[in-house]
Amino acid sequence: MKRAKIFTSIRLKFILFFVLLILLAMQIIGVYFVRELENELTRNFKDSILNRVKLITYNLEQEFLEDRSTEGSTSLEDDIEKLLIDNKSSDIEEMRVYDKNLRVIAISDLGSRNKVGQRTTDIVVTRTFVTEEMIEKMSIDDATNERKWQLYVPFKVNDQVEGIIYIEGNIERVFKQVQVINQVFINGSLIALVFTAIVAVIVAQTITRPITDMKRQAQAMARGNYSRKVKVYGYDEIGQLAITFNNLSKKLQDEQAKTDSEKRKLSSILRYMTDGVISTDRKGRIILINEAAETMLNVTRETVVSKNIIDVLGIGDEYTFKELTEEQNSIILDYSTDLLPLIVRANFSLIQKETGIMNGLIVVLHDITEQEKIEQERREFVANVSHELRTPLTTMRSYLESLSDGAWRDKEIAPHFLKVTQNETERMIRLVNDLLVLSRMDSHDYQLRKEIINMEKFLDHVIDRFEMTKEKGVTFIRKYPKEQVYAEIDQDKITQVLDNTISNALKYSPEGGTVTIRLSVQNEELEVAISDQGVGIPKSSIHRIFDRFYRVDRARSRQVGGTGLGLAIAKEMVQAHGGKIWATSTDGKGTTVHFTLPYDRDQGDDF
């Protein structure tokens, strides 16, 4: 359980200490004083009655000894009653006299004369006769709920107990006096406590004011403000502490300025570094991470600080932190996703104290995605080119060896072998030419020869060439806008784009199918779409058909011919014009290749 907030203030502790100290002292004094006062008043009350009892006892003895045989003498009962009435006081409420027969022979209360002559049932009276000793006791009146002091005193005549005098004293008056005195003492205590609290506040204020100032200064220092000074109220121990606190604040301000300067330099370096940097403590917990590392790891500083570097890098199954501190070589980490490839090289460096003890670890992350991508593309390119060249060369070698072995003499086989060799030669020439085109596009070693042309006539010219071949009996459908469309393009480059895309559409179209060419204008772009009715392309492959040498179905592609570079060349040429190219496909229903070119509606005004 947390301590109550009220007890966190030194000032309140001082005040409570003084008040409770005075309260405790007054309570001790009060309890002792009231108890002694009560004892003294009670003793005085009893002594007063006992002194009166001695006189009454003596008078009773004289009454019993008096001779009442003469005529005209008063009765013993009347004389005793008069004696009791004469000795009645404010402290004594009632007095009775019992004879040896336990009968009431006199009573001081005139209203209770009916009890005179009656035998008492009070067992204490009997006990007093038996013991012949005085008995006293305290009782509570059932009617008034007041305390009574009862006294049973035997008196003797001629050395024999002749009777008992019963006295009932009103001792409640004593307790009421004590209660009044106690109330006066309580009121005095409250007044004293109020004055004590005021004095305690003044004393606590004097003591805690410098401490409060130092607390505020410490809070300001925690927020980075070192310019505030603590006021010095004197040169006692607290004053010396305030002076020392101000000196400490000045030194901290100087050191903080130096630290902030170095920190800004380091922060600036880390912020503008393209490499990710992570720093850990000696237990592998992250204490620093720059923005580049946050981006690479797709995390935020708040979520990874204090976490173990092993968990953040995701290499807990392969390495322990100790093994990382001993790792001399780089580690390649693959964080690629379906949407974004990311490959990182991690280098590790120890942070050591002057004594040589390891104090932490620095991890530098370098994004090598592009390098890996280029290297992968290079390997794939070399492999694809090697494969594409090896196939026709192997075929040509086989046929040429057959011809050299004598097949050239066979008039039916020789022409066929020569035709195959010629086709494979032309295929290699096309491949080399396509590679040269891509090489020039990659190196930008070309210049577009643009001119404004009528796009409908341009498309008709290209399509007419394909229609003349009547390949597979395919029918071409042309869909153009109503108005004339003019565009500034390089005819040779766009012709090659159309040749490559339409050739692909024809290759994968069924016998008697249709190929649809659409021309449309949208905002500041014109779009050309070539659609076939072929088998379509799976969704998993649609985004790769513009990659070099990529074929969805390599076996079938090789049967229909081609180098695997047609759409890659088309992509480069469209992008060189500032356009975009993409494909949409429905598996089993056909594919549509779209490409856009910049369009200015005012280009055709001169025609």
Side-chain angles (χ1 to χ4, degrees):
M1 179 182 290
K2 292 184 178 180
R3 186 178 296 178
K5 192 173 182 180
I6 188 173
F7 295 111
T8 60
S9 170
I10 295 179
R11 182 179 301 174
L12 286 177
K13 288 180 180 179
F14 269 113
I15 296 172
L16 289 175
F17 173 76
F18 279 111
V19 171
L20 291 176
L21 182 62
I22 296 299
L23 180 61
L24 179 61
M26 295 185 70
Q27 286 299 316
I28 295 174
I29 295 172
V31 170
Y32 177 78
F33 174 78
V34 170
R35 187 181 64 182
E36 291 299 318
L37 178 63
E38 181 180 329
N39 292 337
E40 185 64 25
L41 290 176
T42 303
R43 186 165 49 251
N44 291 338
F45 176 82
K46 291 180 180 181
D47 289 344
S48 174
I49 292 179
L50 288 172
N51 290 331
R52 189 179 293 270
V53 166
K54 291 179 181 179
L55 178 60
I56 294 173
T57 303
Y58 173 78
N59 290 330
L60 283 173
E61 291 175 354
Q62 296 302 314
E63 290 294 338
F64 271 89
L65 292 173
E66 185 179 348
D67 184 11
R68 289 182 171 79
S69 60
T70 61
E71 187 178 352
S73 298
T74 57
S75 64
L76 178 63
E77 288 81 1
D78 292 338
D79 290 340
I80 294 175
E81 182 178 315
K82 184 177 182 301
L83 176 64
L84 295 179
I85 293 172
D86 290 342
N87 285 279
K88 190 175 180 182
S89 66
S90 59
D91 293 335
I92 300 174
E93 286 192 348
E94 185 179 356
M95 290 185 289
R96 297 176 192 174
V97 177
Y98 299 93
D99 62 10
K100 290 187 291 184
N101 297 321
L102 303 181
R103 288 184 304 109
V104 179
I105 61 176
I107 190 167
S108 64
D109 185 6
L110 298 178
S112 301
R113 281 184 174 181
N114 58 342
K115 296 181 180 179
V116 176
Q118 295 180 2
R119 286 178 62 85
T120 182
T121 58
D122 191 347
I123 193 171
V124 182
V125 176
T126 304
R127 188 182 304 154
T128 305
F129 271 111
V130 173
T131 61
E132 297 183 358
E133 293 180 354
M134 182 179 67
I135 298 176
E136 64 172 299
K137 71 172 186 175
M138 295 287 292
S139 64
I140 298 177
D141 192 332
D142 295 335
T144 61
N145 202 29
E146 292 182 350
R147 281 165 286 197
K148 307 293 182 182
W149 185 59
Q150 296 171 326
L151 184 64
Y152 299 82
V153 181
F155 60 90
K156 297 180 179 180
V157 178
N158 297 324
D159 294 330
Q160 289 185 355
V161 176
E162 193 66 32
I164 302 295
I165 179 171
Y166 165 77
I167 299 175
E168 185 178 288
N170 185 14
I171 201 171
E172 185 66 28
R173 293 174 57 191
V174 174
F175 289 103
K176 286 183 178 179
Q177 289 177 0
V178 173
Q179 186 176 0
V180 171
I181 295 172
N182 195 24
Q183 185 62 44
V184 171
F185 185 81
I186 291 173
N187 293 337
S189 299
L190 292 176
I191 295 172
L193 284 176
V194 171
F195 281 102
T196 301
I198 295 172
V199 173
V201 169
I202 296 172
V203 174
Q205 180 75 12
T206 304
I207 296 175
T208 61
R209 185 184 301 162
I211 298 176
T212 301
D213 287 348
M214 283 186 278
K215 182 192 77 171
R216 292 172 181 167
Q217 171 63 5
Q219 292 173 340
M221 290 168 62
R223 295 190 296 268
N225 180 12
Y226 299 95
S227 60
R228 191 175 181 275
K229 299 296 181 183
V230 178
K231 185 177 179 181
V232 180
Y233 293 94
Y235 294 96
D236 54 5
E237 289 82 355
I238 296 179
Q240 294 296 324
L241 178 61
I243 294 173
T244 305
F245 204 87
N246 288 334
N247 293 334
L248 174 64
S249 178
K250 181 65 172 63
K251 291 182 179 180
L252 285 175
Q253 184 177 11
D254 295 339
E255 294 301 321
Q256 183 65 31
K258 295 178 182 178
T259 303
D260 288 342
S261 177
E262 296 299 324
K263 189 175 180 179
R264 283 192 297 270
K265 292 178 183 178
L266 178 61
S267 177
S268 178
I269 293 171
L270 292 176
R271 181 181 299 112
Y272 294 106
M273 283 183 65
T274 57
D275 290 343
V277 177
I278 302 175
S279 177
T280 74
D281 60 14
R282 59 190 303 270
K283 293 184 178 181
R285 294 173 297 199
I286 294 176
I287 57 177
L288 182 144
I289 181 171
N290 69 346
E291 295 179 4
E294 292 178 16
T295 303
M296 290 182 190
L297 301 177
N298 193 26
V299 296
T300 60
R301 183 181 183 279
E302 292 75 14
T303 58
V304 299
V305 168
S306 298
K307 286 190 176 181
N308 196 287
I309 185 66
I310 298 295
D311 299 329
V312 175
L313 294 179
I315 55 176
D317 295 337
E318 303 173 11
Y319 295 91
T320 63
F321 179 69
K322 183 179 180 181
E323 290 173 342
L324 281 187
T325 61
E326 299 171 352
E327 182 64 46
Q328 301 293 326
N329 300 319
S330 301
I331 295 178
I332 304 300
L333 305 173
D334 191 351
Y335 297 118
S336 300
T337 62
D338 295 338
L339 300 177
L340 183 67
L342 178 62
I343 300 175
V344 175
R345 182 175 63 240
N347 296 301
F348 305 94
S349 177
L350 289 178
I351 304 174
Q352 292 180 321
K353 295 182 179 180
E354 294 179 357
T355 57
I357 298 175
M358 193 270 290
N359 197 33
L361 186 68
I362 293 290
V363 182
V364 179
L365 304 176
H366 181 63
D367 187 352
I368 59 171
T369 306
E370 286 300 321
Q371 298 177 16
E372 288 294 315
K373 182 180 178 182
I374 293 172
E375 181 62 21
Q376 181 65 24
E377 289 179 350
R378 184 191 66 79
R379 289 193 294 267
E380 290 182 358
F381 180 78
V382 171
N384 287 327
V385 170
S386 300
H387 180 74
E388 294 296 334
L389 289 175
R390 186 186 298 112
T391 301
L393 285 173
T394 301
T395 303
M396 290 172 60
R397 179 181 177 181
S398 300
Y399 280 94
L400 289 174
E401 286 179 350
S402 298
L403 289 172
S404 63
D405 289 340
W408 62 273
R409 296 187 182 90
D410 191 322
K411 294 182 179 181
E412 294 182 0
I413 296 177
H416 175 67
F417 281 13
L418 290 173
K419 181 64 175 175
V420 171
T421 303
Q422 182 180 1
N423 291 338
E424 293 300 324
T425 303
E426 292 174 354
R427 179 179 171 185
M428 283 193 298
I429 292 172
R430 288 196 303 272
L431 176 61
V432 172
N433 288 335
D434 288 345
L435 290 173
L436 290 174
V437 171
L438 284 174
S439 176
R440 285 195 298 270
M441 300 294 289
D442 288 341
S443 62
H444 301 285
D445 186 19
Y446 63 90
Q447 184 175 3
L448 296 178
R449 296 182 177 85
K450 293 185 177 180
E451 55 182 315
I452 299 175
I453 62 170
N454 186 312
M455 287 299 297
E456 294 180 6
K457 293 182 179 180
F458 173 67
L459 290 174
D460 286 338
H461 176 72
V462 175
I463 296 169
D464 289 344
R465 285 193 291 106
F466 284 99
E467 276 190 332
M468 291 178 63
T469 62
K470 299 186 182 297
E471 186 174 345
K472 294 185 179 180
V474 173
T475 302
F476 286 87
I477 299 176
R478 315 177 196 202
K479 294 185 178 182
Y480 303 149
K482 294 181 180 180
E483 67 276 7
Q484 297 290 318
V485 178
Y486 290 86
E488 187 177 10
I489 62 173
D490 184 323
Q491 288 193 63
D492 291 338
K493 298 292 188 294
I494 301 303
T495 297
Q496 191 167 0
V497 172
L498 291 170
D499 285 347
N500 292 347
T501 53
I502 294 175
S503 296
N504 271 355
L506 287 174
K507 290 175 185 177
Y508 297 104
S509 291
E511 292 287 343
T514 61
V515 173
T516 304
I517 292 87
R518 295 180 180 84
L519 175 65
S520 60
V521 176
Q522 299 178 1
N523 298 328
E524 296 181 355
E525 290 182 334
L526 63 86
E527 180 182 332
V528 178
I530 298 95
S531 303
D532 62 45
Q533 295 178 329
V535 296
I537 302 172
K539 290 183 179 180
S540 60
S541 302
I542 192 71
H543 66 285
R544 296 195 59 192
I545 63 173
F546 295 98
D547 293 347
R548 300 174 185 185
F549 295 108
Y550 181 79
R551 292 187 177 95
V552 178
D553 185 348
R554 292 185 177 273
R556 186 172 177 223
S557 298
R558 194 168 302 283
Q559 292 175 359
V560 297
T563 63
L565 298 173
L567 292 180
I569 292 173
K571 176 182 177 181
E572 296 291 340
M573 291 182 174
V574 169
Q575 290 179 345
H577 278 76
K580 296 177 292 184
I581 187 168
W582 70 96
T584 57
S585 180
T586 302
D587 202 10
K589 294 185 178 181
T591 302
T592 301
V593 176
H594 311 257
F595 69 88
T596 61
L597 296 170
Y599 175 67
D600 185 357
R601 295 181 181 275
D602 298 331
Q603 287 179 147
D605 291 347
D606 297 334
F607 293 88

